[in-house]
Amino acid sequence: MRTAPRFRTYLSGLSLAFLTFATSCSRDAVAPSGAVVGALAPVAGVGSITAVTATAADGHTYTATPDAQGNFSFPTLPPGTYTLTFSTNTSTSSPWRIPVTVVAGSTTTAQVPVLTHDNVVRGKMSWTLNGTTYSATEFGGKFGPYLYLRGSYKAAGAPAQWNDVFLVIPEENKQGKIFAGPGTYPLGVSEAGAFAEFTTYPNGPLASFSRYVTYSVGAPVGTVTLTRYDAEQGIATGRFEFVADANANATGQVAVTNGSFEVTF
């Protein structure tokens, strides 16, 4: 039996409507997501967080702004693993990294330690140069899964003469991971590895200066030994010595010996 033309037209209309509906549903489908919540309450005299960044394994980043009590949330994140990092009103890395896993349809509560320190470097740092021992009167640095520590000594006189020692153990370079907590790190062995600098200048950091650096020469020219390192509690202790070659506005070499530090941050 033949199908009447009007009925065939009706069937064609239904097919077209169904196809349009299915296409629309496919286009409007929402990808599954999960959520992350947490809190890092402000601590008087220490600090408070100003932003939280969630970095996915593929490098994508998402940012949340906490409320006055330090509560934060990421309500819609694609499933996967993330690293949370924190900006505070005293430092950009305290606490430095918190891993979380996002599961579709679930809310993950990040386990965030309390703020215990303000990331201002304090303590003791000394070294010997040309038979004279210097003790730092000012400090600087940045800490996390790495060590960047600067100690500055201001000599008496006019104009004042500053001597700086700067120690760097980076987290990693293109050859792989470098920083591994307490231990001994050779200086001058590899490109973009651990290194040290000695700088001297009058009248402050922007005046003319002479800098010496432990260049990468393929062999150790010194060491930094971390005897204790706790980035969460803000404690670093250790020893150092190095021979550095002239860099900017300098000639020859300097030999820094008997270096030590015991700082909180």
Side-chain angles (χ1 to χ4, degrees):
M1 180 178 70
R2 289 187 174 184
T3 304
R6 182 178 298 175
F7 187 61
R8 285 201 302 270
T9 301
Y10 174 71
L11 290 178
S12 297
L14 285 178
S15 298
L16 179 60
F18 177 79
L19 179 61
T20 301
F21 173 78
T23 301
S24 175
C25 288
S26 175
R27 185 169 56 241
D28 296 338
V30 177
S33 65
V36 171
V37 299
L40 185 57
V43 177
V46 175
S48 60
I49 56 172
T50 57
V52 186
T53 300
T55 303
D58 62 4
H60 280 77
T61 60
Y62 307 82
T63 301
T65 301
D67 63 20
Q69 288 73 46
N71 301 297
F72 63 88
S73 67
F74 296 90
T76 54
L77 289 176
T81 58
Y82 292 80
T83 299
L84 301 184
T85 52
F86 302 82
S87 297
T88 77
N89 58 356
T90 58
S91 169
T92 58
S93 56
S94 177
W96 42 277
R97 291 183 176 181
I98 303 297
V100 293
T101 300
V102 175
V103 178
S106 298
T107 297
T108 300
T109 300
Q111 302 302 309
V112 185
V114 299
L115 285 172
T116 58
H117 50 93
D118 59 6
N119 283 59
V120 175
V121 185
R122 305 174 180 88
K124 297 183 293 184
M125 184 176 182
S126 63
W127 61 89
T128 300
L129 176 68
N130 297 328
T132 301
T133 297
Y134 301 89
S135 296
T137 54
E138 293 188 8
F139 298 92
K142 188 176 181 182
F143 304 85
Y146 43 72
L147 170 74
Y148 301 154
L149 175 61
R150 176 183 57 81
S152 300
Y153 169 80
K154 181 180 180 182
Q161 187 74 19
W162 289 84
N163 295 327
D164 279 3
V165 168
F166 186 40
L167 308 175
V168 177
I169 306 173
E171 179 179 6
E172 59 187 7
N173 62 12
K174 61 184 179 182
Q175 280 78 42
K177 187 173 177 60
I178 296 176
F179 189 87
T184 297
Y185 298 84
L187 306 175
V189 174
S190 63
E191 181 183 359
F195 68 93
E197 292 184 4
F198 173 81
T199 306
T200 180
Y201 48 85
N203 293 330
L206 298 181
S208 61
F209 62 92
S210 298
R211 176 180 294 146
Y212 299 82
V213 181
T214 58
Y215 287 111
S216 173
V217 295
V221 294
T223 57
V224 175
T225 298
L226 287 177
T227 54
R228 182 180 180 186
Y229 192 82
D230 188 331
E232 292 298 345
Q233 295 299 316
I235 300 171
T237 64
R239 305 181 304 274
F240 61 92
E241 61 179 9
F242 60 86
V243 176
D245 292 322
N247 177 256
N249 305 319
T251 58
Q253 294 180 323
V254 296
V256 174
T257 61
N258 300 318
S260 66
F261 57 89
E262 183 178 339
V263 298
T264 59
F265 51 88

